[in-house]
Every structure is written in structure tokens, then in C-alpha cells.
Amino acid sequence: MRVRVATALGLTAVTVLALPACSTDSSEAKPGTSSAAYAGTPANGEQQTAPLSSAALEPLLLDEGDLGSGYTRTPERPAQHDDVTVLGCPALDKLGGDAATGGSLDFPRKAKASFTYTGDSDSEVSEELYSDSADKLSDGTGRIFDAMTRCPEYQVLVGSNAIDVTTQKTPAPQLGDERWGLLLSFSAGGQDSVVKQTAVLAGNVLVIVSGSPALVDRHLDKALAKATATR
């Protein structure tokens, strides 16, 4: 069976979603050494603009033309409502149901796109955009990443299926005003899967790219550039 998991930041606490198991492809970026996920602080004196609507965020997402050949956009999946229990991570329990079931961040202005890449092996990458005040985006994102990294190992029960999870902070590129990095490893049914997640805050827009480590590293810069091109 494939390990189909995702994490409380679009991909951040765990649920059974459609991320295929990762193979040990030599082209994938190697996990970074454990370090602080917060590699910077918001820029001082930057004038805040009004949050963008969900409709305004949609055209700022990457598309197949931005990604290159071999990418196919996957349809948005319906919300999952499985019976999910987190074991061994009180910090995640405190975040409530949305975090424990893989819900997106609690910001109403958002847009998301997911893609499958057919290369040496099938992989996935997804992008999420959120818009709000910089302070709200920073606080909400930091709270989720902090909870995830407080628990280097824990287990999630989705119905009767048990998934073992390990988390590791990773260095994030010096982009935007604030940034966070996380590597998650999932194990279930004898299969392993690895998800890298990098979040970058730039003014009133939060960009999150998740999925195969190599694809996240490859497309983060262009995702941020497109999301902030008009500002």
C-alpha cells in the first residue's frame, strides 16, 4: 500500500491524503541538519497593505507553464473527515481538530494548487497561498511549526491505520521577511514517505510549498517570485 499522508499546514498534522510514497531517488535534496526553523524576523518599517482576496491569490499560484514539462495539476481533493487521533504529541493535541486532521491554516483568504510530476518516479508538489496581516500570518504559521517540531516522534491513528511520524527542522532559504522549514517522515504498512515543507512570509502573503524534497527546493523561488511580483 502507499502511505498517503499530509501535514496541519495544508500538509502539517497527519491525515490520509494523496501524497505518494517517496522513493530514494538520488536527485532528491538531502535533509538539512537540524536547526532553528525561524531564520529571520519580519522586515522593520515595511508598510502593510490590505490582504488579498482568495480570487486575487488564485492567479498568483504556479501553473504547469511555470513548472515545466512533466507536471500535471491534480484536482482538489474533498476535505477528509476520518477519525484521527494523535498519540505522543500534546502540543498537536492543543491545536484542535483542524491541526490534527490535516486542515489548512485558519486564514479565510487562501488558494492552493497541487501537481504530480512524472520523472524517475511519481512525485507530488503543492503550493498554498494565504493573505492576511503580516502579524497574523507570522503568529499562525509559527504556532503550527512550533507544535510540529516539539514532537520529533509521534504516531497518528487514522481510523484503524497507524502512521509513525518523525519531524526535523530544516534550514530555509534566506527569502522574504520570515521563513520556516520542516522535514516529515511517515511510515505505515511497511512503506515510507518523506515530505518537505517550506513556508515563506513576504509582507501580507504567506507562500507554502510542500511535497517531494527535490521538487520543493526546485520551485520555491519561482513560487515566491510569482506570488509577490505585483508588489
Side-chain angles (χ1 to χ4, degrees):
M1 91 183 212
R2 283 184 169 182
V3 182
R4 293 180 176 269
V5 291
T7 64
L9 207 41
L11 285 176
T12 302
V14 181
T15 187
V16 178
L17 292 181
L19 191 69
C22 240
S23 66
T24 55
D25 186 343
S26 60
S27 66
E28 288 191 353
K30 302 299 181 183
T33 56
S34 180
S35 65
Y38 314 119
T41 56
N44 293 327
E46 181 174 311
Q47 183 177 1
Q48 300 304 314
T49 58
L52 302 177
S53 67
S54 296
L57 289 172
E58 284 286 347
L60 303 182
L61 290 165
L62 295 175
D63 56 30
E64 293 92 334
D66 301 314
L67 296 172
S69 61
Y71 290 87
T72 303
R73 185 160 181 168
T74 55
E76 187 173 350
R77 303 177 184 98
Q80 300 290 317
H81 301 288
D82 300 282
D83 182 16
V84 177
T85 303
V86 180
L87 303 177
C89 188
L92 277 179
D93 290 339
K94 291 180 181 179
L95 289 178
D98 284 346
T101 58
S104 297
L105 280 173
D106 189 21
F107 298 113
R109 303 173 185 88
K110 57 189 176 183
K112 180 178 180 180
S114 298
F115 302 87
T116 299
Y117 174 67
T118 303
D120 295 335
S121 60
D122 287 348
S123 302
E124 282 196 359
V125 63
S126 69
E127 179 190 9
E128 293 168 87
L129 296 178
Y130 298 91
S131 188
D132 210 316
S133 71
D135 287 344
K136 288 182 179 179
L137 291 172
S138 176
D139 290 345
T141 309
R143 186 171 63 252
I144 299 265
F145 271 93
D146 182 61
M148 295 297 294
T149 54
R150 284 186 187 183
C151 304
E153 296 183 5
Y154 58 95
Q155 189 175 67
V156 174
L157 299 179
V158 185
S160 60
N161 298 315
I163 303 172
D164 295 318
V165 186
T166 62
T167 64
Q168 177 187 348
K169 292 180 182 180
T170 59
Q174 294 294 316
L175 300 171
D177 304 320
E178 203 171 354
R179 71 289 300 172
W180 300 262
L182 190 64
L183 192 74
L184 299 106
S185 300
F186 305 96
S187 180
Q191 297 290 328
D192 297 325
S193 187
V194 177
V195 173
K196 184 171 185 176
Q197 187 167 60
T198 303
V200 178
L201 175 61
N204 64 347
V205 173
L206 177 70
V207 179
I208 302 173
V209 181
S210 308
S212 166
L215 298 186
V216 171
D217 291 343
R218 186 180 305 168
H219 298 300
L220 177 64
D221 284 4
K222 65 183 71 172
L224 181 63
K226 186 171 183 177
T228 59
T230 59
R231 295 182 300 122

